Amino acid sequence: MSGNIQLLSDTLAAAKAEGRSALIAYLPAGFPTVHGGIEAIKAAFEGGADVVEVGLPHSDPVLDGPVIQTADDIALRGGVKIADVMRTVRETYEATGKPVLVMTYWNPIDRYGVERFTAELAEAGGAGCILPDLPVQESALWREHAEKQGLATVFVVAPSSKDARLAEITAAGSGFVYAASLMGVTGTRESVGAQAQDLVERTRAAGAGAALPVCVGLGVSNAEQAAEVAGFADGVIVGSAFVKRMLDAPDDKAGIEGVRALAGELAKGVRRQA
């Protein structure tokens, strides 16, 4: 089986054709268990997510906040392995037919082997990989194998990224560009929202030839914030809010229902602009 980059592109294009942003959910593999994580991802899709990112738990997730770090710790203590991540991708894709990406730091792939990782991800039906700490100038080997396997390579940009860097990333990436910013951490929420909107506009301008969708991970946690980001981004990425629903629930079943409910609320939010 080749990877599902076309399914990802078609899904984002279909959302755009409806006049709305795509809803992209993030949940770590192996949290609260491998089976429970698979059920949670299915619930996110059932609730209204268009795309799901499956996190590969890492012992030092430097770019993730405390909520996702807590979930990663639980998954790692449970013994989650790359094989479990691939199982998670396979079972959720087979159950839903929707695009599933893996989000991971570079070190686990480097240790596992790029050719092996891309082949297994494609065979599992994965749509691609988000690689937040892989510099574009060091990505040629990864991109060669990802392209061969039909997988998207999603790079992350930040408000600090210069225009030349944005152009380089949009030229090298595929699937979409992940625009990372922080809502409610630096300055007021309004100013951070404006910063994210500026980043989206600069990324689009830099990649005018590539025309990749720009999706924003902003700390969105409710329908109002989703609607706000949907006003300027091609996709709204939500992670910590889903994980928090799982962590705060009295049991796994309630957590999974919480994920489904939140996906429904956020799906309504991204459609307010339509």
Side-chain angles (χ1 to χ4, degrees), residues 2-33:
S2 64
N4 274 314
I5 186 173
Q6 192 60 50
L7 176 62
L8 174 64
S9 298
D10 291 348
T11 300
L12 294 172
K16 187 175 184 179
E18 290 176 21
R20 66 174 179 88
S21 284
L23 174 60
I24 303 175
Y26 166 94
L27 284 158
F31 167 73
T33 61

Side-chain angles (χ1 to χ4, degrees), residues 138-238:
E138 295 173 21
S139 66
L141 178 67
W142 164 267
R143 286 188 285 125
E144 176 194 336
H145 287 288
E147 198 171 318
K148 189 165 75 175
Q149 296 291 352
L151 298 169
T153 297
V154 179
F155 290 110
V156 177
V157 298
S160 58
S161 301
K162 302 286 188 282
D163 289 351
R165 178 86 172 152
L166 295 177
E168 192 181 5
I169 285 171
T170 50
S174 54
F176 63 91
V177 178
Y178 188 126
S181 193
L182 298 171
M183 184 179 285
V185 175
T186 307
T188 65
R189 193 175 69 77
E190 288 76 19
S191 71
V192 179
Q195 189 179 44
Q197 186 166 357
D198 175 66
L199 176 59
V200 169
E201 289 167 0
R202 288 198 301 118
T203 304
R204 283 182 180 143
L212 280 182
V214 183
C215 304
V216 174
L218 246 178
V220 169
S221 61
N222 58 46
E224 287 67 35
Q225 292 167 343
E228 180 187 345
V229 176
F232 58 81
D234 298 300
V236 180
I237 302 167
V238 182

